[in-house]
mmCIF file of all heavy atoms in Angstrom:
data_model
loop_
_atom_site.group_PDB
_atom_site.id
_atom_site.type_symbol
_atom_site.label_atom_id
_atom_site.label_comp_id
_atom_site.label_asym_id
_atom_site.label_seq_id
_atom_site.Cartn_x
_atom_site.Cartn_y
_atom_site.Cartn_z
ATOM 1 N N SER A 715 14.476 -20.272 -204.178
ATOM 2 C CA SER A 715 14.922 -19.466 -205.319
ATOM 3 C C SER A 715 13.797 -19.241 -206.333
ATOM 4 O O SER A 715 13.826 -18.282 -207.087
ATOM 5 C CB SER A 715 16.103 -20.147 -206.013
ATOM 6 O OG SER A 715 15.707 -21.433 -206.452
ATOM 7 N N ARG A 716 12.800 -20.123 -206.344
ATOM 8 C CA ARG A 716 11.693 -19.943 -207.294
ATOM 9 C C ARG A 716 10.658 -18.964 -206.738
ATOM 10 O O ARG A 716 9.738 -18.570 -207.417
ATOM 11 C CB ARG A 716 10.981 -21.280 -207.539
ATOM 12 C CG ARG A 716 11.833 -22.365 -208.131
ATOM 13 C CD ARG A 716 10.984 -23.615 -208.315
ATOM 14 N NE ARG A 716 10.539 -24.173 -207.041
ATOM 15 C CZ ARG A 716 9.464 -24.959 -206.904
ATOM 16 N NH1 ARG A 716 8.709 -25.233 -207.938
ATOM 17 N NH2 ARG A 716 9.144 -25.436 -205.728
ATOM 18 N N ARG A 717 10.800 -18.657 -205.478
ATOM 19 C CA ARG A 717 9.744 -17.939 -204.759
ATOM 20 C C ARG A 717 9.876 -16.423 -204.921
ATOM 21 O O ARG A 717 10.949 -15.860 -204.767
ATOM 22 C CB ARG A 717 9.810 -18.314 -203.279
ATOM 23 C CG ARG A 717 8.670 -17.766 -202.445
ATOM 24 C CD ARG A 717 8.864 -18.074 -200.974
ATOM 25 N NE ARG A 717 9.064 -19.495 -200.740
ATOM 26 C CZ ARG A 717 9.591 -19.987 -199.620
ATOM 27 N NH1 ARG A 717 10.001 -19.177 -198.647
ATOM 28 N NH2 ARG A 717 9.734 -21.286 -199.465
ATOM 29 N N HIS A 718 8.773 -15.766 -205.238
ATOM 30 C CA HIS A 718 8.724 -14.303 -205.296
ATOM 31 C C HIS A 718 7.791 -13.809 -204.206
ATOM 32 O O HIS A 718 6.712 -14.361 -204.023
ATOM 33 C CB HIS A 718 8.174 -13.830 -206.650
ATOM 34 C CG HIS A 718 8.997 -14.256 -207.817
ATOM 35 N ND1 HIS A 718 9.954 -13.463 -208.387
ATOM 36 C CD2 HIS A 718 9.017 -15.426 -208.514
ATOM 37 C CE1 HIS A 718 10.521 -14.098 -209.403
ATOM 38 N NE2 HIS A 718 9.973 -15.292 -209.494
ATOM 39 N N LEU A 719 8.228 -12.781 -203.527
ATOM 40 C CA LEU A 719 7.374 -12.172 -202.502
ATOM 41 C C LEU A 719 6.715 -10.928 -203.085
ATOM 42 O O LEU A 719 7.322 -10.186 -203.847
ATOM 43 C CB LEU A 719 8.199 -11.758 -201.287
ATOM 44 C CG LEU A 719 8.677 -12.852 -200.337
ATOM 45 C CD1 LEU A 719 9.374 -12.216 -199.138
ATOM 46 C CD2 LEU A 719 7.494 -13.698 -199.847
ATOM 47 N N ASP A 720 5.446 -10.721 -202.732
ATOM 48 C CA ASP A 720 4.739 -9.534 -203.218
ATOM 49 C C ASP A 720 4.046 -8.858 -202.039
ATOM 50 O O ASP A 720 3.489 -9.517 -201.161
ATOM 51 C CB ASP A 720 3.688 -9.942 -204.261
ATOM 52 C CG ASP A 720 2.978 -8.735 -204.844
ATOM 53 O OD1 ASP A 720 1.964 -8.279 -204.250
ATOM 54 O OD2 ASP A 720 3.433 -8.237 -205.884
ATOM 55 N N SER A 721 4.062 -7.539 -202.061
ATOM 56 C CA SER A 721 3.325 -6.784 -201.036
ATOM 57 C C SER A 721 2.956 -5.429 -201.618
ATOM 58 O O SER A 721 3.476 -5.046 -202.672
ATOM 59 C CB SER A 721 4.191 -6.590 -199.792
ATOM 60 O OG SER A 721 5.298 -5.760 -200.123
ATOM 61 N N THR A 722 2.086 -4.719 -200.939
ATOM 62 C CA THR A 722 1.728 -3.389 -201.455
ATOM 63 C C THR A 722 2.945 -2.470 -201.394
ATOM 64 O O THR A 722 3.094 -1.576 -202.210
ATOM 65 C CB THR A 722 0.571 -2.757 -200.648
ATOM 66 O OG1 THR A 722 0.891 -2.828 -199.269
ATOM 67 C CG2 THR A 722 -0.733 -3.459 -200.911
ATOM 68 N N ALA A 723 3.837 -2.721 -200.434
ATOM 69 C CA ALA A 723 5.034 -1.887 -200.317
ATOM 70 C C ALA A 723 6.036 -2.204 -201.428
ATOM 71 O O ALA A 723 6.704 -1.311 -201.942
ATOM 72 C CB ALA A 723 5.673 -2.090 -198.948
ATOM 73 N N ALA A 724 6.153 -3.488 -201.776
ATOM 74 C CA ALA A 724 7.093 -3.887 -202.827
ATOM 75 C C ALA A 724 6.373 -4.775 -203.837
ATOM 76 O O ALA A 724 6.561 -5.991 -203.864
ATOM 77 C CB ALA A 724 8.282 -4.632 -202.215
ATOM 78 N N PRO A 725 5.506 -4.155 -204.671
ATOM 79 C CA PRO A 725 4.701 -4.971 -205.585
ATOM 80 C C PRO A 725 5.498 -5.421 -206.814
ATOM 81 O O PRO A 725 6.350 -4.681 -207.309
ATOM 82 C CB PRO A 725 3.587 -4.010 -206.006
ATOM 83 C CG PRO A 725 4.155 -2.644 -205.837
ATOM 84 C CD PRO A 725 5.191 -2.720 -204.758
ATOM 85 N N LEU A 726 5.208 -6.608 -207.292
ATOM 86 C CA LEU A 726 5.774 -7.060 -208.564
ATOM 87 C C LEU A 726 5.020 -6.348 -209.683
ATOM 88 O O LEU A 726 3.857 -5.978 -209.520
ATOM 89 C CB LEU A 726 5.606 -8.580 -208.729
ATOM 90 C CG LEU A 726 6.318 -9.463 -207.700
ATOM 91 C CD1 LEU A 726 5.926 -10.920 -207.927
ATOM 92 C CD2 LEU A 726 7.844 -9.311 -207.799
ATOM 93 N N THR A 727 5.674 -6.165 -210.823
ATOM 94 C CA THR A 727 4.966 -5.557 -211.947
ATOM 95 C C THR A 727 4.043 -6.603 -212.576
ATOM 96 O O THR A 727 4.201 -7.810 -212.346
ATOM 97 C CB THR A 727 5.940 -5.068 -213.033
ATOM 98 O OG1 THR A 727 6.589 -6.216 -213.580
ATOM 99 C CG2 THR A 727 6.964 -4.105 -212.474
ATOM 100 N N VAL A 728 3.103 -6.131 -213.378
ATOM 101 C CA VAL A 728 2.174 -7.047 -214.050
ATOM 102 C C VAL A 728 2.955 -7.991 -214.964
ATOM 103 O O VAL A 728 2.689 -9.192 -215.034
ATOM 104 C CB VAL A 728 1.124 -6.243 -214.854
ATOM 105 C CG1 VAL A 728 0.249 -7.181 -215.664
ATOM 106 C CG2 VAL A 728 0.272 -5.411 -213.913
ATOM 107 N N ALA A 729 3.967 -7.444 -215.654
ATOM 108 C CA ALA A 729 4.770 -8.275 -216.554
ATOM 109 C C ALA A 729 5.495 -9.365 -215.770
ATOM 110 O O ALA A 729 5.564 -10.522 -216.219
ATOM 111 C CB ALA A 729 5.767 -7.400 -217.308
ATOM 112 N N GLU A 730 6.013 -9.009 -214.583
ATOM 113 C CA GLU A 730 6.674 -10.029 -213.753
ATOM 114 C C GLU A 730 5.684 -11.118 -213.341
ATOM 115 O O GLU A 730 5.981 -12.305 -213.421
ATOM 116 C CB GLU A 730 7.292 -9.369 -212.506
ATOM 117 C CG GLU A 730 8.602 -8.649 -212.786
ATOM 118 C CD GLU A 730 9.061 -7.765 -211.617
ATOM 119 O OE1 GLU A 730 8.216 -7.144 -210.926
ATOM 120 O OE2 GLU A 730 10.272 -7.701 -211.408
ATOM 121 N N LEU A 731 4.494 -10.691 -212.929
ATOM 122 C CA LEU A 731 3.470 -11.666 -212.521
ATOM 123 C C LEU A 731 3.095 -12.586 -213.670
ATOM 124 O O LEU A 731 2.849 -13.773 -213.486
ATOM 125 C CB LEU A 731 2.219 -10.937 -212.012
ATOM 126 C CG LEU A 731 2.273 -10.332 -210.611
ATOM 127 C CD1 LEU A 731 1.002 -9.553 -210.329
ATOM 128 C CD2 LEU A 731 2.458 -11.431 -209.557
ATOM 129 N N ASP A 732 3.077 -12.023 -214.869
ATOM 130 C CA ASP A 732 2.696 -12.807 -216.043
ATOM 131 C C ASP A 732 3.711 -13.919 -216.327
ATOM 132 O O ASP A 732 3.371 -14.931 -216.931
ATOM 133 C CB ASP A 732 2.563 -11.872 -217.262
ATOM 134 C CG ASP A 732 1.906 -12.568 -218.439
ATOM 135 O OD1 ASP A 732 0.992 -13.388 -218.195
ATOM 136 O OD2 ASP A 732 2.303 -12.320 -219.588
ATOM 137 N N GLY A 733 4.949 -13.720 -215.864
ATOM 138 C CA GLY A 733 5.971 -14.742 -216.085
ATOM 139 C C GLY A 733 6.019 -15.782 -214.976
ATOM 140 O O GLY A 733 6.853 -16.679 -215.002
ATOM 141 N N ILE A 734 5.138 -15.668 -214.001
ATOM 142 C CA ILE A 734 5.163 -16.576 -212.851
ATOM 143 C C ILE A 734 4.070 -17.635 -212.995
ATOM 144 O O ILE A 734 2.949 -17.331 -213.383
ATOM 145 C CB ILE A 734 4.996 -15.752 -211.543
ATOM 146 C CG1 ILE A 734 6.260 -14.900 -211.326
ATOM 147 C CG2 ILE A 734 4.742 -16.657 -210.356
ATOM 148 C CD1 ILE A 734 6.172 -13.945 -210.158
ATOM 149 N N ASP A 735 4.447 -18.885 -212.695
ATOM 150 C CA ASP A 735 3.530 -20.006 -212.952
ATOM 151 C C ASP A 735 2.385 -20.136 -211.945
ATOM 152 O O ASP A 735 1.280 -20.501 -212.316
ATOM 153 C CB ASP A 735 4.315 -21.332 -212.933
ATOM 154 C CG ASP A 735 5.243 -21.450 -214.126
ATOM 155 O OD1 ASP A 735 4.993 -20.744 -215.133
ATOM 156 O OD2 ASP A 735 6.206 -22.231 -214.053
ATOM 157 N N ALA A 736 2.685 -19.902 -210.662
ATOM 158 C CA ALA A 736 1.687 -20.239 -209.639
ATOM 159 C C ALA A 736 1.675 -19.212 -208.524
ATOM 160 O O ALA A 736 2.567 -18.369 -208.428
ATOM 161 C CB ALA A 736 1.976 -21.627 -209.067
ATOM 162 N N VAL A 737 0.641 -19.278 -207.713
ATOM 163 C CA VAL A 737 0.515 -18.384 -206.562
ATOM 164 C C VAL A 737 -0.040 -19.194 -205.394
ATOM 165 O O VAL A 737 -0.874 -20.081 -205.590
ATOM 166 C CB VAL A 737 -0.393 -17.174 -206.892
ATOM 167 C CG1 VAL A 737 -1.735 -17.627 -207.443
ATOM 168 C CG2 VAL A 737 -0.619 -16.281 -205.671
ATOM 169 N N VAL A 738 0.464 -18.913 -204.197
ATOM 170 C CA VAL A 738 -0.072 -19.559 -202.993
ATOM 171 C C VAL A 738 -0.628 -18.466 -202.082
ATOM 172 O O VAL A 738 0.065 -17.492 -201.794
ATOM 173 C CB VAL A 738 1.027 -20.342 -202.224
ATOM 174 C CG1 VAL A 738 0.403 -21.087 -201.040
ATOM 175 C CG2 VAL A 738 1.762 -21.300 -203.136
#
Side-chain angles (χ1 to χ4, degrees):
Chain A
S715 59
R716 299 180 294 157
R717 187 185 306 162
H718 299 264
L719 285 185
D720 183 273
S721 66
T722 51
L726 297 174
T727 65
V728 174
E730 282 168 324
L731 283 175
D732 191 36
I734 291 174
D735 291 339
V737 53
V738 184

